[in-house]
């Protein structure tokens, strides 16, 4: 099969033939129909997570497609079924998986990182009965791809972790793919959303997706103060959708008393997982800090019902469709935050 292979960190991906994957006993092979290019791919390409996989490697973790082949122990899946591949999969047998929280699995399967991913014509998925979600016929592949990573991550964070309620103020710091997903989802939940970014195109898209106000963090010296003014004292929930110190601190400082900070963005290799946070603000305002990682398959029915009902539309975040050969250039452009919304590979 054809794949875009990471052979050296921060070098262009090499599109070449690699062996076709075979399904494991409880696994399937999926023909990839659409795969979104996510900032986590940029982290992987940049060498931020050297212990996670060996080179050469095939990235790509935000995909949907059609089941091509099933292993002998697969019960519920058949060739021809359309599926979403959530990146945060599990072994199906640990205490976390057994209580519906496979995204926190003791032995996680993170497709595109712990196994080869979807920058390829085919991908193998282990424990497939447990880890795959059927893609409803009404949802096209390009729309469905984002639900494998960024869109579901925003949904889980806002719904399950931050418990966003109707009428609350939600500030979203960083309007990249996951941030714009958060804008659309929080709006659908009935919240009033403020989008914050330094890119005028990103802020314009945030408004189209439902933000009632936007703050240009480049021109404003103090975006947190702007959010507190717009919201009459601070947001109820504030999201760091990027994972750099400025967005994390601004998010916490955007909150009202008892506000909830939702950390979705992960740090860059330079920060190595640590950011400085305003402790006295957290103490004095009784701020809650919430982390959020992926989404378990158990939460998919709720999200898919909202998509089917037209309340959520991940397709509105897709601004560009590319061929596999263009993947490398899209990832490199993320050095300068020079992508808008979701870019999805739809030709392999
Ligand atoms: Zn991702
Ligand atoms: Zn598990």
């Amino acid at each position: 099969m054809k794949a875009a292979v990471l052979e050296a960190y921060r070098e262009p991906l090499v599109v070449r033939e690699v062996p076709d994957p075979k399904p494991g006993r409880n696994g399937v092979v999926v023909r990839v129909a659409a795969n979104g290019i996510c900032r986590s791919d940029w982290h992987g390409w940049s060498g931020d997570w050297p212990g996670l996989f060996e080179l050469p490697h095939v990235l790509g973790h935000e995909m949907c497609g059609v089941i091509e082949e099933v292993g002998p122990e697969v019960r519920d899946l058949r060739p021809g079924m359309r599926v979403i591949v959530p990146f945060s999969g599990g072994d199906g047998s640990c205490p976390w998986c057994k209580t519906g929280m496979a995204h926190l699995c003791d032995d996680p399967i993170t497709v595109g990182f712990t196994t080869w991913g979807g920058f390829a014509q085919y991908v193998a998925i282990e424990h497939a009965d447990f880890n795959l979600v059927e893609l409803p016929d009404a949802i096209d592949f390009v729309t469905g791809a984002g639900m494998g990573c960024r869109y579901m991550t925003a949904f889980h964070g806002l719904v399950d972790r931050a418990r966003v309620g109707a009428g609350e103020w939600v500030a979203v710091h960083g309007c990249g793919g996951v941030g714009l997903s958060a804008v659309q989802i929080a709006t659908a939940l009935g919240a009033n959303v403020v989008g914050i970014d330094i890119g005028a195109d990103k802020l314009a898209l945030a408004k189209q997706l439902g933000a009632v106000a936007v703050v240009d963090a480049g021109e404003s010296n103090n975006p947190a103060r702007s959010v507190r003014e717009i919201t009459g004292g601070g947001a109820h929930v504030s999201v760091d959708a990027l994972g750099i110190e400025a967005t994390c601190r601004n998010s916490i400082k955007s909150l009202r008393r008892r506000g909830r900070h939702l950390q979705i963005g992960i740090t860059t290799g330079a920060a190595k997982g640590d950011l400085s946070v305003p402790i006295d603000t957290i103490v004095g305002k009784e701020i809650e800090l919430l982390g959020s990682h992926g989404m378990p398959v158990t939460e998919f029915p709720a999200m898919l019902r909202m998509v089917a009902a037209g309340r959520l539309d991940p397709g509105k975040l897709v601004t560009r469709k590319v061929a596999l050969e263009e993947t490398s250039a899209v990832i490199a452009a993320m050095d300068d935050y020079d992508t808008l919304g979701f870019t999805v590979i739809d030709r392999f």
Side-chain angles (χ1 to χ4, degrees), residues 79-133:
M81 284 174 71
R82 304 165 82 247
V83 290
I84 304 169
V85 182
F87 84 87
S88 50
D91 59 7
S93 56
C94 79
W96 297 97
C97 285
K98 285 186 167 170
T99 50
M101 290 183 277
H103 63 307
L104 301 175
C105 178
D106 284 342
D107 189 16
I109 295 172
T110 313
V111 63
F113 296 105
T114 62
T115 61
W116 278 20
F119 292 170
Q121 290 175 313
Y122 298 95
V123 65
I125 307 295
E126 297 301 307
H127 301 287
D129 281 321
F130 186 73
N131 284 317
L132 294 182
V133 175

Side-chain angles (χ1 to χ4, degrees), residues 9 47-54:
Y9 295 125
D48 285 352
W49 304 321
L52 201 50
F53 53 81
E54 305 274 314

